Amino acid sequence: MKRYSIPAMFAALAILVSPACADNHAENTPQFIRTASAASFDTDFTEAAENTVNTVVCIKSFTSQRQNPYGNGGGGYDPFGMFDFFFGPQERQQPRQQQRNSEPVQSGLGSGVILSDDGYIVTNNHVIDGADKLEVLLNDNSTYEARVIGTDEATDLALIKIDAEKLTPITFGDSEAVKIGEWVLAVGNPFGFNSTVTAGIVSAKARSISQNTRSGKMGIESFIQTDAALNPGNSGGALVNLKGELIGINSAIYSNTGSYTGFSFAIPTTIVKKVMTDLRQYGTVQRAVLGCTVTELDAKLAKDKGITAIKAGLLVRDVNDRSTAKELGLMENDVITAINNVEVHNFPQLVEQLNKFRPGDQITVTYYRDNKKYTKSGTLRNTQGNTTITKKSDFSEIGCAFMKLGDETKRRLGISSGVKVAGLKGGAFRDAGIKDGFIITDINGRSVNTSDDVEMIYNQIMKSEGEDKVMFITGLYPTGKKYYYAVNLSQE
């Protein structure tokens, strides 16, 4: 059977149905007119798919205890109330005999993207969070155990490593060059179906899916929105252009059920590249801040403030001391419109630009004051107001161990909780004046009974985006005398 291209088929159809072909009165009969001779765009996805499938891996997470790490009844991680991060399908309840076995069991499924031929892989933090064991399955069915190099909860990214050689790494593209309406492919492992490719277009850029975009947090607020079908197991997989270049890491879907219903969201490569470099080089993300509180400019605000020169930007509310904004001379009611000549009309765009830099980097800020345009340069700082490289937080740096208290000791001292400081050496606790034998009853208003309790509070403090990382400790010495200490965990 002969095949026709679409334009050729229309031409053939015109010949078949035109009365001109049946008689000699062509001049009195209407004719089909072909208005286009070729397709206006290329929708051949095969090359991009072939270039990508071998760079995307399946990641299986295993835990020793049968519990949902997010504590939400198996419904998936839902940080914003209406958006589900798509963690993999949970295993069904295991028989009691198997539950008593200490061997880790599979608790989740996700995807990852190979960054280097020696085994570095990027994925989502929520894919590997809480796992006791990680298993990576390549497209050729090779299986490796992975170790975590670093994680960043704020951007939901993680870097893991497998001991392998001569892998096929992904080619990075420029997410800022991506255009709305451009065709993209999503590659991952939905529901455990390895190397699945779906297609869609870029629906929007710099999309915020947080209900609190003005909180000042430096997490990811600037997603690439697509309509490529994604489902549980796609999380951490690749979003690529038609050249097969990585433009984003798939991270979230718009869903009330946990399955695809129309929109999905990817972390742009401008952020992915910088976070991965930081995690590999420093073990933690070097996060720069401008040091001011802003509000998105709208028509009402512009009218109230008498702003006529511009219609969009970030209105400065207040400026922090020891900040880049202070150095630049920014003032209340200034309107920021660009960072390094890249326009920022809303908060997500501002966060995306700042996430590209580290403390110590020079940036240029364009802003308006009294309807006049200004451009100034300054040095970015961290949340502590300096340019010091942030070290990976390590619980051992507090400089002591903790011993569990016996019931008799608790009764004698009249306390219901507490852990005893032991083996004190150089570190944050000794610097705060704490001595061996001190009994901690609570930290930041939370009771502690084990070393794990102290470590959990420590990790929460270190992961927070607040400027002050302090443990406010209440306790007493064996004599019964009560003391209060403030332990500074900031790394100057």
Side-chain angles (χ1 to χ4, degrees):
M1 179 178 177
K2 188 175 181 180
R3 297 183 179 180
Y4 294 93
S5 65
I6 295 298
M9 289 177 65
F10 276 111
L13 181 63
I15 294 172
L16 289 172
V17 301
S18 173
C21 300
D23 54 41
N24 295 324
H25 304 285
E27 65 274 14
N28 298 321
T29 58
Q31 302 292 315
F32 284 92
I33 299 175
R34 191 168 59 184
T35 59
S37 60
S40 60
F41 54 85
D42 181 13
T43 55
D44 183 2
F45 305 139
T46 57
E47 182 179 354
E50 289 172 359
N51 292 341
T52 308
V53 289
N54 290 320
T55 69
V56 176
V57 303
C58 178
I59 300 176
K60 298 178 181 179
S61 61
F62 296 80
T63 55
S64 297
Q65 297 180 354
R66 295 304 306 140
Q67 60 181 9
N68 184 344
Y70 301 120
N72 61 356
Y77 180 36
D78 188 12
F80 309 122
M82 59 190 297
F83 292 88
D84 294 321
F85 274 95
F86 38 97
F87 201 66
Q90 302 298 307
E91 295 293 315
R92 294 185 179 275
Q93 187 73 14
Q94 302 295 318
R96 292 183 179 180
Q97 183 66 28
Q98 187 172 345
Q99 288 188 43
R100 288 195 294 266
N101 196 323
S102 60
E103 183 71 20
V105 293
Q106 185 177 338
S107 58
L109 182 72
S111 303
V113 180
I114 300 173
L115 299 179
S116 64
D117 59 4
D118 59 348
Y120 283 94
I121 296 169
V122 59
T123 185
N124 286 140
N125 177 64
H126 71 265
V127 168
I128 58 97
D129 189 32
D132 297 313
K133 176 185 173 183
L134 295 173
E135 191 176 272
V136 172
L137 176 67
L138 304 186
N139 192 43
D140 63 2
N141 289 326
S142 301
T143 302
Y144 298 86
E145 190 166 333
R147 66 182 186 276
V148 177
I149 301 299
T151 63
D152 184 47
E153 187 177 6
T155 55
D156 191 35
L157 290 171
L159 180 65
I160 64 176
K161 175 77 165 61
I162 61 175
D163 294 326
E165 297 178 350
K166 299 181 180 179
L167 300 179
T168 303
I170 195 89
T171 299
F172 269 77
D174 183 3
S175 58
E176 289 192 343
V178 173
K179 297 180 179 179
I180 296 174
E182 179 178 339
W183 281 99
V184 289
L185 301 182
V187 186
N189 305 279
F191 301 115
F193 294 110
N194 290 354
S195 305
T196 297
V197 180
T198 55
I201 63 168
V202 174
S203 306
K205 293 178 64 178
R207 178 71 76 198
S208 172
I209 61 175
S210 172
Q211 293 178 345
N212 188 15
T213 60
R214 296 175 180 80
S215 64
K217 292 184 178 180
M218 294 302 295
I220 172 64
E221 290 286 356
S222 186
F223 289 87
I224 298 173
Q225 179 182 320
T226 79
D227 64 354
L230 300 176
N231 282 291
N234 271 115
S235 192
L239 184 72
V240 301
N241 57 26
L242 291 191
K243 296 178 182 178
E245 298 171 335
L246 184 72
I247 59 170
I249 295 296
N250 297 316
S251 184
I253 56 177
Y254 179 89
S255 176
N256 292 321
T257 64
S259 295
Y260 175 75
T261 55
F263 294 121
S264 52
F265 301 89
I267 304 167
T269 52
T270 51
I271 296 175
V272 175
K273 188 182 297 184
K274 190 262 182 181
V275 171
M276 290 301 102
T277 301
D278 282 355
L279 291 179
R280 187 169 179 176
Q281 186 171 349
Y282 306 108
T284 189
V285 177
Q286 307 301 312
R287 190 159 280 119
V289 297
L290 196 56
C292 59
T293 304
V294 297
T295 300
E296 293 178 9
L297 186 68
D298 57 23
K300 184 178 184 305
L301 267 177
K303 183 178 180 180
D304 291 345
K305 301 294 183 181
I307 300 170
T308 57
I310 48 175
K311 296 181 179 179
L314 286 308
L315 182 72
V316 176
R317 289 296 194 184
D318 55 65
V319 177
N320 300 335
D321 292 335
R322 301 175 63 203
S323 68
T324 305
K326 193 81 170 180
E327 177 190 347
L328 294 171
L330 291 179
M331 299 172 60
E332 184 180 355
N333 294 329
D334 288 348
V335 181
I336 299 170
T337 58
I339 301 291
N340 280 12
N341 297 320
V342 178
E343 291 186 356
V344 288
H345 294 159
N346 52 47
F347 188 78
Q349 290 176 339
L350 175 65
V351 172
E352 181 178 4
Q353 292 307 310
L354 292 178
N355 268 318
K356 294 162 53 179
F357 302 103
R358 299 183 181 91
D361 289 344
Q362 293 287 316
I363 64 163
T364 299
V365 177
T366 302
Y367 63 96
Y368 281 77
R369 178 181 297 166
D370 297 328
N371 293 312
K372 294 181 181 179
K373 184 178 179 180
Y374 298 87
T375 300
K376 290 186 179 180
S377 297
T379 304
L380 283 172
R381 295 171 168 81
N382 56 28
T383 56
Q384 304 302 313
N386 59 52
T387 59
T388 303
I389 293 297
T390 303
K391 299 177 182 178
K392 185 177 181 179
S393 60
D394 187 347
F395 183 56
S396 64
E397 291 181 359
I398 65 176
C400 65
F402 300 95
M403 296 176 59
K404 190 174 181 179
L405 290 182
D407 293 337
E408 179 58 35
T409 302
K410 290 180 181 179
R411 281 194 296 268
R412 179 173 60 83
L413 294 173
I415 56 178
S416 57
S417 63
V419 291
K420 185 177 181 180
V421 174
L424 190 67
K425 56 182 180 180
F429 270 41
R430 191 177 72 174
D431 292 344
I434 296 175
K435 298 179 176 59
D436 263 327
F438 181 67
I439 298 170
I440 301 172
T441 56
D442 64 79
I443 301 175
N444 291 7
R446 298 172 61 180
S447 298
V448 292
N449 279 296
T450 66
S451 177
D452 288 343
D453 292 340
V454 181
E455 184 172 5
M456 180 180 66
I457 295 172
Y458 171 87
N459 289 333
Q460 289 175 345
I461 293 172
M462 297 307 293
K463 287 180 179 179
S464 69
E465 293 297 330
E467 295 185 12
D468 299 321
K469 300 185 185 300
V470 182
M471 278 186 170
F472 294 103
I473 295 177
T474 302
L476 66 167
Y477 284 97
T479 58
K481 190 171 184 180
K482 200 168 186 178
Y483 277 83
Y484 302 90
Y485 293 100
V487 179
N488 182 14
L489 301 177
S490 300
Q491 299 159 336
E492 295 290 346

